[in-house]
Amino acid sequence: MAGANEGFASLSESYLFPEVARRIRAFQEKYPEKRVLKLSIGNTTEAITPTIARAMEDKVRSLSRTDTYSGYGDEQGESALRTALSRHYLKEYGVSIDEDDFFISDGSKSDAANIQQIFSNESIVAVQDPAYPVYVDSTVALGRGGTLDQSTGRYSRIVYMPGKRGNGFVASPPDVHADIIFLCFPNNPTGAVAGRRELEAFVEYAHRENAVIVFDSAYSDYIETEGIPHSIYQIDGAMDCAIEIGSFSKNAGFTGVRLGWAVVPKALKSDDGKAGLLHKLWLRRQSTFFNGASNIAQSGGIAALSDEGRMECLGLVGYYKENARIISEALSSLGLSFTGGKDSPYLWLECPDGLSSWEFFDHLLSKTGVAVTPGSGFGSCGEGYVRISSYGHRSDILEAVSSLKENL
Ligand code: PLP
């Protein structure tokens, strides 16, 4: 009999979104005439823009003819897409990255999980608390989590970096050793962004501890505040201690199309101080276990990085940011305390009257029909907060906001 993988078996139940769905179903059964207004989903809702859609249509047409058909491509990703990404980083962030340092993937969630495979089994992982769940779950699945404390939901071998009101939800580097540090800015779920100083502190920490930062920049196009870095490589010294994972999901609407990238620089050092090994191992990992992202999606990605594509994508981002502004205005008018919603599609709302995340979730749903995401599902520091998402059609956002104003 084959035994189960102990790492996977020790993953805590992922009950956040199923439980949200169960409570919404129960509400709908009780009040069939009421519409649930979902501000709980981190999924895009608006159409892919014309330039990108055209490029993908053209690719499909070329695949339908023998003389223009192509099969497997380069596992690292199409050279034209890696060149476009390299130009994009230089043009928009002033950062020079060799196109060979880009690895195209089917999205940043896979990269966030898979990247851990190139590090030693003993690695200590540090995560922000609250955090996007895949960082903790991939750590645990690979057997690096230690034991779960049921009362806090925390694992004994993971280093947690708290994001609280007192630090503006921007964690500081830990005061203990870690080997791999997951950072995500603009942050899901809190919507917080990190300034240059704050990121410099992490780069200094990584140099001191021979650690590697995995920087998740999935929401970088949502940043509007001047001076906030969009990429970890805008910080001096990051090239030899940081990996960056990026995505076309939230700026180009590729949540279903699937396309992302990882930057694993040749300059990145492993803990022996040598550059090149981690880059080589990631190349080996991808060419062994991955056959490349869809060529249709990659054509869309190239178009998304063209001048026209960029303009359209920023327009799409602007749509969700306007949603976030509308929600922010409503929360402010209700005197509620929240952060985010400016450089991010997410708002992080403090539950009023000392209510827990789930208590406030139930209260909001029953009073207003608005569903949000309980912050406690993202880590113990998320208790007492809920995440509000601005992904939705404008009409739905306006309906949700007027229900909040009338009924809360
Ligand atoms: N990183 C963060 C912080 C996210 O919130 C998400 C999706 O919600 C992802 C990565 C996943 O992106 P992708 O669709 O590229 O896998």
Side-chain angles (χ1 to χ4, degrees):
M1 276 267 270
N5 179 322
E6 278 177 29
F8 274 81
S10 59
L11 279 171
S12 62
E13 282 304 312
S14 158
Y15 80 109
L16 176 66
F17 289 103
E19 182 59 18
V20 167
R22 193 192 66 74
R23 293 193 193 202
I24 289 175
R25 263 197 319 275
F27 174 83
Q28 279 175 324
E29 276 161 23
K30 199 166 165 196
Y31 306 104
E33 73 292 354
K34 286 196 186 164
R35 184 156 176 250
V36 174
L37 304 156
K38 291 183 186 162
L39 300 183
S40 49
I41 318 265
N43 202 354
T44 47
T45 55
E46 303 310 300
I48 282 172
T49 70
T51 301
I52 302 172
R54 238 184 346 259
M56 291 199 284
E57 283 160 13
D58 289 349
K59 183 65 188 179
V60 170
R61 260 190 296 278
S62 79
L63 289 171
S64 72
R65 291 174 32 188
T66 308
D67 58 336
T68 48
Y69 171 82
S70 61
Y72 289 128
D74 178 357
E75 296 99 345
Q76 206 178 330
E78 284 180 26
S79 164
L81 178 54
R82 289 186 280 123
T83 305
L85 277 165
S86 177
R87 287 201 185 121
H88 168 72
Y89 270 74
L90 188 60
K91 184 173 169 205
E92 300 205 12
Y93 312 145
V95 169
S96 171
I97 303 176
D98 197 306
E99 72 168 65
D100 286 345
D101 290 346
F102 287 94
F103 294 80
I104 307 304
S105 69
D106 62 353
S108 55
K109 188 175 193 177
S110 333
D111 284 342
N114 294 336
I115 200 75
Q116 291 220 32
Q117 293 172 15
I118 63 171
F119 294 99
S120 113
N121 286 339
E122 287 71 44
S123 298
I124 304 282
V125 175
V127 297
Q128 292 164 274
D129 180 4
Y132 181 53
V134 70
Y135 317 137
V136 167
D137 286 351
S138 55
T139 304
V140 174
L142 283 171
R144 296 173 183 159
T147 48
L148 173 67
D149 179 337
Q150 295 286 354
S151 64
T152 60
R154 286 184 163 190
Y155 288 88
S156 59
R157 277 190 93 248
I158 294 180
V159 174
Y160 292 88
M161 304 179 289
K164 296 186 167 179
R165 182 149 39 116
N167 59 12
F169 303 98
V170 179
S172 301
D175 48 17
V176 295
H177 174 76
D179 300 295
I180 306 167
I181 305 147
F182 280 97
L183 292 180
C184 171
F185 294 110
N187 186 261
N188 178 10
T190 66
V193 285
R196 186 166 280 278
R197 279 268 158 73
E198 287 145 331
L199 294 179
E200 279 168 357
F202 277 100
V203 169
E204 275 163 29
Y205 174 90
H207 284 155
R208 199 169 58 242
E209 299 290 331
N210 288 332
V212 169
I213 296 167
V214 179
F215 189 80
D216 185 339
S217 67
Y219 298 94
S220 67
D221 271 346
Y222 287 76
I223 296 173
E224 65 182 46
T225 302
E226 282 290 315
I228 297 290
H230 289 232
S231 162
I232 190 69
Y233 301 119
Q234 289 172 286
I235 305 300
D236 284 345
M239 204 56 87
D240 65 13
C241 70
I243 288 168
E244 181 157 301
I245 54 177
S247 173
F248 288 91
S249 283
K250 305 300 168 82
N251 60 355
F254 276 28
T255 42
V257 173
R258 310 303 305 143
L259 193 68
W261 69 90
V263 183
V264 185
K266 287 182 282 301
L268 182 68
K269 290 181 179 161
S270 33
D271 63 353
D272 55 5
K274 291 205 181 107
L277 179 60
L278 292 172
H279 173 91
K280 207 168 117 194
L281 293 185
W282 185 242
L283 178 59
R284 180 77 165 96
R285 193 267 167 213
Q286 291 300 79
S287 49
T288 307
F289 298 144
F290 185 57
N291 253 342
S294 146
N295 49 17
I296 300 166
Q298 293 192 69
S299 296
I302 294 166
L305 293 165
S306 68
D307 290 346
E308 264 193 336
R310 278 301 286 157
M311 246 163 54
E312 292 174 7
C313 284
L314 293 177
L316 198 55
V317 166
Y319 180 92
Y320 296 122
K321 279 168 65 81
E322 176 61 11
N323 284 351
R325 195 196 58 74
I326 291 167
I327 300 168
S328 301
E329 208 175 78
L331 299 181
S332 298
S333 76
L334 288 163
L336 293 166
S337 166
F338 68 95
T339 55
K342 182 165 185 278
D343 296 302
S344 157
Y346 300 119
L347 299 94
W348 190 236
L349 174 61
E350 200 171 328
C351 304
D353 308 322
L355 293 178
S356 73
S357 298
W358 280 109
E359 284 167 349
F360 188 53
F361 171 92
D362 287 335
H363 178 75
L364 262 183
L365 186 60
S366 65
K367 282 260 194 182
T368 68
V370 172
V372 293
T373 310
S376 52
F378 298 97
S380 61
C381 290
E383 181 55 275
Y385 292 86
V386 293
R387 186 193 75 174
I388 300 183
S389 165
S390 63
Y391 290 110
H393 300 312
R394 181 67 43 78
S395 52
D396 292 338
I397 299 289
L398 289 171
E399 198 178 332
V401 154
S402 56
S403 176
L404 286 174
K405 283 181 176 168
E406 273 165 39
N407 303 314
L408 193 63

